[in-house]
Amino acid sequence: MIFRHLLFPALLFGAAATAFAASAPAGRISGRVHQAGSDAPVPAAQARLEGPTLARYENSNLIQKLKSTGRFQFNVPPGSYDLWVTAPDFEDVKLRVDLAAGATIERDVELRPLQRSPYRVETIKLPQQMIGEVSGVAFTPKGTLVVTTRRGEVWMRGFPSERWHCFARGLYEGFGLVAPSESEVIVIQRPEFTRLRDTDGDGVADAFETISDEWGITGSYHEFSYGLARDSAGNLYASSGMCSFRAAADLNWVRGPLRTEQYLPWSGTGPVPDGHRSVAQYQGWAFQVTPAGKLIPFASGFRQPLGVGVSPQDELFISDCPGAWVPTATLTHVERDAFYGHPDGLKWHPELKDKKLTIEQLAQLRRPPSVYLPRGTLGTSPGQPVWDVTGGKFGPFRGQVFMGDVSSLIVRIDLEKIAGAYQGAVFPFLRGQGLRIGGMHNAFGPDGALYLGQTVRGWMSTEGNEGLQRVVWNGKAPTEIQTLRLTARGFALTFTEPMSAAAGDARSFQVRRFHYNYHPLDGSLRTNDADVPVTLARLAPDGRSARIELLEVQPGYVYELNVAKTVTSRAGRPLLNATAFYTLNRTLSGATTPWPSKIAAVAQTQLQPGDITRGAEVFRLNCMVCHQADGKGSQQAGTPDYTQPGGPLAKTDDELLAVITNGKMPTPPAVTPMPPWGNVLPPQSIRDVLAYLRATFQPAPQPR
């Protein structure tokens, strides 16, 4: 399964019949998915269960593709879960499910069709001789379409003739390209940057030149070199993903030095989370190759930096895939010599290789991503970022970023520079309407359409999904939030068309904010999730823009904006996408560190004293599996003994509430992290369970 760790959580077909180490009996969550208004099943539907008790799985979730019956079934430990049901051309449904030990919960789910977008998806017919694992897309200045495939070929489609011919064969898994002309193509293969030239004008490359190959590679089944992008000065940019490594037997061969030790040793039980390691030189790095062919290790800290793009301002941006040290998918403005999170590649850093930084020091060194892409709503693993420079041929989103995803999704990103650093908002753009999965490499064509190369081989059944598609605007205005920009007191929104009076009502907007944890575990659930009251909304007289003010605006959070269905255009059209996520790293003043929160104070006054009876039930459903019924903990899980003097209950209520809410890395001899429960349990339930702990396990005072 070549792509399993790289691109998607583990897929489970049929019941999730899994052996859990927990002593509490598993429960069952099952149901049937059908179309709204009928009993018909939904084509290509899938159910995903997500929660802290699934931390042993990639991204803490299980996924089932639903068969013709539309039924799903998960056998899982007791706990609180989010159940997502999705399908192309249908609205997502998310349900919260609280499962008791041994219980059976049945949830039938009704899916409603999505609105049709004024963007249509067209599948481009490929030559019969081409295996359509399209892994790179580019255009020459004259408009010739050029693609590379994972089978090692480069093909060209003439402009305007649209006739295909094979330009080159024999490459080692090309994964991106640029096309300076019809006679020259530059490809990133797994082992090198290669210039392909047609010197005799017959349309076929006859000269293969190695531009650079100065990084390490191995024989790991799961290892990729990504790219390719070029700036106006002729510098090339690419990246190397980490390889899958658990033991020496994983590697058949290696080029360059081999270092299998971890930069930051894993102290937990079992293998390194998700097994992605930098064992060959510069795995997990971004590269720059100068026009003279010199390779410069440009930046470090990536896990699987699949999407590499250069903006119209010649700035490098890279998307990364979630897993250990990468909480969820990201898009990041990459600057030279900076560190972006995954520490294992630091073993190749000339200054940091021997310093063995702690997690706290790494967190200080790490540059945050420009934009987080919350898992689920915005896909799972994004591809190459491309900028709309079509001059309006693709609609009203000039200068914005578009990215495909391994799922059938395209997202749109509105970046802005705040206090010297990029951040911004990400929106769903297109899902369904015939859009296929695996759109990892993209390019805008001279016709103004967005072209997507699609490949999924080795990680799931292709089912005819691989190849090449393009997205074309039909000229009708989409009803969308065009931009979402930060203000001192909240956000300013612009719309693609005039909106009704409801867009000036504060009750039409719901805002939540949350954190992601930076840690060595496999991804992160949302933590510190809280509603942010909208105190004011003001619509401009022309209906094209609105301002909303919040109770407070703080850095260090992702802000989720949901617009009510009552907000429509003046012509009565609803928003095609009413959700946005803004990554707020810096305020307008440049502040990057949160301060004491009014929201926390408001929430505190609304909470009641902890209820022991309710807390006992919370403990039974969520905590007992690790902490045991007697509160003495589990040696296997590494949980502490509450009943011992000087144990966790010696801490203050505020300290313990923070630990339960935010989670905690293990302190030896403990080896298992405490997961964050703030995104699973409401604040009142956290108070209730603390009251139960105090009443039930509080050690007796020691004699003086």
Side-chain angles (χ1 to χ4, degrees), residues 150 212 286 291 535 578 602 627 675:
R150 292 178 61 199
S212 178
T535 58
V602 170
H627 291 279

Side-chain angles (χ1 to χ4, degrees), residues 84-125:
W84 289 83
V85 180
T86 62
D89 295 313
F90 287 83
E91 295 180 357
D92 295 351
V93 170
K94 177 184 176 183
L95 303 173
R96 175 56 60 90
V97 181
D98 295 314
L99 181 68
T104 297
I105 294 177
E106 184 81 7
R107 291 283 189 272
D108 286 351
V109 180
E110 185 178 79
L111 295 186
R112 299 184 179 279
L114 283 169
Q115 297 181 70
R116 299 295 292 183
S117 166
Y119 292 84
R120 70 178 183 272
V121 179
E122 299 177 349
T123 299
I124 295 175
K125 187 176 181 179

Side-chain angles (χ1 to χ4, degrees), residues 49-78:
L49 199 67
E50 181 177 279
T53 65
L54 304 176
R56 65 167 57 192
Y57 294 98
E58 190 164 356
N59 290 320
S60 301
N61 64 181
L62 300 172
I63 291 180
Q64 292 180 16
K65 282 187 171 181
L66 307 188
K67 298 182 179 179
S68 58
T69 61
R71 288 206 55 88
F72 62 88
Q73 179 177 308
F74 296 96
N75 298 332
V76 290

